[in-house]
CSV table of all heavy atoms in Angstrom, one decimal:
chain,number,residue,atom,x,y,z
A,20,ARG,N,96.6,36.5,-17.0
A,20,ARG,CA,96.0,37.6,-16.2
A,20,ARG,C,94.6,37.2,-15.9
A,20,ARG,O,94.1,37.3,-14.7
A,20,ARG,CB,96.1,38.9,-17.0
A,20,ARG,CG,95.5,40.1,-16.2
A,20,ARG,CD,95.6,41.3,-17.0
A,20,ARG,NE,95.0,41.2,-18.3
A,20,ARG,CZ,93.7,41.4,-18.6
A,20,ARG,NH1,92.9,41.6,-17.6
A,20,ARG,NH2,93.3,41.3,-19.9
A,21,GLU,N,93.8,36.7,-16.9
A,21,GLU,CA,92.4,36.3,-16.6
A,21,GLU,C,92.4,35.1,-15.6
A,21,GLU,O,91.5,35.0,-14.8
A,21,GLU,CB,91.7,35.9,-17.9
A,21,GLU,CG,91.5,37.1,-18.8
A,21,GLU,CD,90.8,36.7,-20.1
A,21,GLU,OE1,90.6,35.5,-20.3
A,21,GLU,OE2,90.5,37.6,-21.0
A,22,HIS,N,93.3,34.2,-15.8
A,22,HIS,CA,93.4,33.0,-14.9
A,22,HIS,C,93.6,33.5,-13.5
A,22,HIS,O,93.0,33.0,-12.5
A,22,HIS,CB,94.5,32.1,-15.4
A,22,HIS,CG,94.6,30.8,-14.5
A,22,HIS,ND1,95.5,30.8,-13.5
A,22,HIS,CD2,93.9,29.7,-14.5
A,22,HIS,CE1,95.4,29.6,-12.9
A,22,HIS,NE2,94.4,28.9,-13.5
A,23,LYS,N,94.5,34.4,-13.3
A,23,LYS,CA,94.8,35.0,-11.9
A,23,LYS,C,93.6,35.6,-11.4
A,23,LYS,O,93.2,35.5,-10.2
A,23,LYS,CB,95.9,35.9,-12.0
A,23,LYS,CG,97.3,35.3,-12.2
A,23,LYS,CD,98.4,36.3,-12.3
A,23,LYS,CE,99.8,35.6,-12.5
A,23,LYS,NZ,100.9,36.6,-12.6
A,24,GLU,N,92.8,36.4,-12.2
A,24,GLU,CA,91.6,37.0,-11.7
A,24,GLU,C,90.6,36.0,-11.3
A,24,GLU,O,89.9,36.1,-10.2
A,24,GLU,CB,91.0,38.0,-12.8
A,24,GLU,CG,91.9,39.2,-13.0
A,24,GLU,CD,91.3,40.0,-14.1
A,24,GLU,OE1,90.2,39.6,-14.7
A,24,GLU,OE2,91.8,41.1,-14.4
A,25,ILE,N,90.4,34.9,-12.1
A,25,ILE,CA,89.4,33.9,-11.8
A,25,ILE,C,89.8,33.2,-10.5
A,25,ILE,O,89.0,32.9,-9.7
A,25,ILE,CB,89.3,32.9,-13.0
A,25,ILE,CG1,88.7,33.6,-14.2
A,25,ILE,CG2,88.5,31.7,-12.6
A,25,ILE,CD1,88.7,32.8,-15.5
A,26,VAL,N,91.1,32.9,-10.4
A,26,VAL,CA,91.6,32.2,-9.2
A,26,VAL,C,91.3,33.1,-7.9
A,26,VAL,O,90.9,32.6,-6.9
A,26,VAL,CB,93.1,31.8,-9.3
A,26,VAL,CG1,93.7,31.4,-7.9
A,26,VAL,CG2,93.3,30.8,-10.3
A,27,SER,N,91.6,34.4,-8.0
A,27,SER,CA,91.4,35.3,-6.9
A,27,SER,C,89.9,35.3,-6.6
A,27,SER,O,89.5,35.3,-5.4
A,27,SER,CB,91.9,36.7,-7.2
A,27,SER,OG,91.2,37.2,-8.3
A,28,LYS,N,89.0,35.4,-7.6
A,28,LYS,CA,87.6,35.4,-7.3
A,28,LYS,C,87.1,34.1,-6.7
A,28,LYS,O,86.2,34.1,-5.8
A,28,LYS,CB,86.8,35.7,-8.6
A,28,LYS,CG,87.0,37.1,-9.1
A,28,LYS,CD,86.2,37.3,-10.4
A,28,LYS,CE,86.3,38.8,-10.9
A,28,LYS,NZ,85.6,39.0,-12.2
A,29,LEU,N,87.7,33.0,-7.2
A,29,LEU,CA,87.3,31.7,-6.7
A,29,LEU,C,87.7,31.6,-5.2
A,29,LEU,O,86.9,31.1,-4.4
A,29,LEU,CB,87.9,30.6,-7.5
A,29,LEU,CG,87.6,29.2,-7.1
A,29,LEU,CD1,86.1,28.9,-7.2
A,29,LEU,CD2,88.4,28.1,-7.9
A,30,LYS,N,88.9,32.0,-4.9
A,30,LYS,CA,89.3,32.0,-3.5
A,30,LYS,C,88.4,32.9,-2.6
A,30,LYS,O,88.0,32.5,-1.5
A,30,LYS,CB,90.7,32.5,-3.4
A,30,LYS,CG,91.8,31.5,-3.9
A,30,LYS,CD,93.2,32.1,-3.8
A,30,LYS,CE,94.2,31.1,-4.3
A,30,LYS,NZ,95.6,31.6,-4.2
A,31,LYS,N,88.0,34.0,-3.2
A,31,LYS,CA,87.1,34.9,-2.4
A,31,LYS,C,85.7,34.2,-2.2
A,31,LYS,O,85.1,34.2,-1.1
A,31,LYS,CB,86.9,36.2,-3.2
A,31,LYS,CG,86.1,37.2,-2.4
A,31,LYS,CD,86.1,38.5,-3.3
A,31,LYS,CE,85.3,39.6,-2.5
A,31,LYS,NZ,85.2,40.9,-3.3
A,32,HIS,N,85.2,33.6,-3.3
A,32,HIS,CA,83.9,32.9,-3.2
A,32,HIS,C,84.0,31.7,-2.2
A,32,HIS,O,83.0,31.4,-1.4
A,32,HIS,CB,83.4,32.3,-4.5
A,32,HIS,CG,82.9,33.4,-5.4
A,32,HIS,ND1,81.8,34.2,-5.1
A,32,HIS,CD2,83.3,33.8,-6.7
A,32,HIS,CE1,81.6,35.1,-6.1
A,32,HIS,NE2,82.5,34.8,-7.0
A,33,VAL,N,85.1,31.0,-2.2
A,33,VAL,CA,85.3,29.9,-1.3
A,33,VAL,C,85.3,30.4,0.1
A,33,VAL,O,84.7,29.8,1.1
A,33,VAL,CB,86.6,29.1,-1.6
A,33,VAL,CG1,86.9,28.1,-0.5
A,33,VAL,CG2,86.4,28.4,-2.9
A,34,LYS,N,86.0,31.5,0.4
A,34,LYS,CA,86.0,32.1,1.7
A,34,LYS,C,84.6,32.5,2.2
A,34,LYS,O,84.2,32.2,3.3
A,34,LYS,CB,87.0,33.2,1.7
A,34,LYS,CG,87.2,33.8,3.1
A,34,LYS,CD,88.2,35.0,3.0
A,34,LYS,CE,88.4,35.6,4.4
A,34,LYS,NZ,89.4,36.7,4.3
A,35,ASN,N,83.9,33.1,1.2
A,35,ASN,CA,82.5,33.5,1.6
A,35,ASN,C,81.6,32.3,1.9
A,35,ASN,O,80.8,32.4,2.8
A,35,ASN,CB,81.9,34.4,0.5
A,35,ASN,CG,82.6,35.7,0.3
A,35,ASN,OD1,83.2,36.3,1.3
A,35,ASN,ND2,82.7,36.3,-0.9
Side-chain angles (χ1 to χ4, degrees):
R20 182 176 56 80
E21 290 179 359
H22 180 265
K23 289 180 179 180
E24 290 179 357
I25 291 171
V26 169
S27 63
K28 289 181 180 180
L29 180 61
K30 289 180 179 180
K31 187 177 180 180
H32 285 302
V33 168
K34 185 178 180 181
N35 293 331

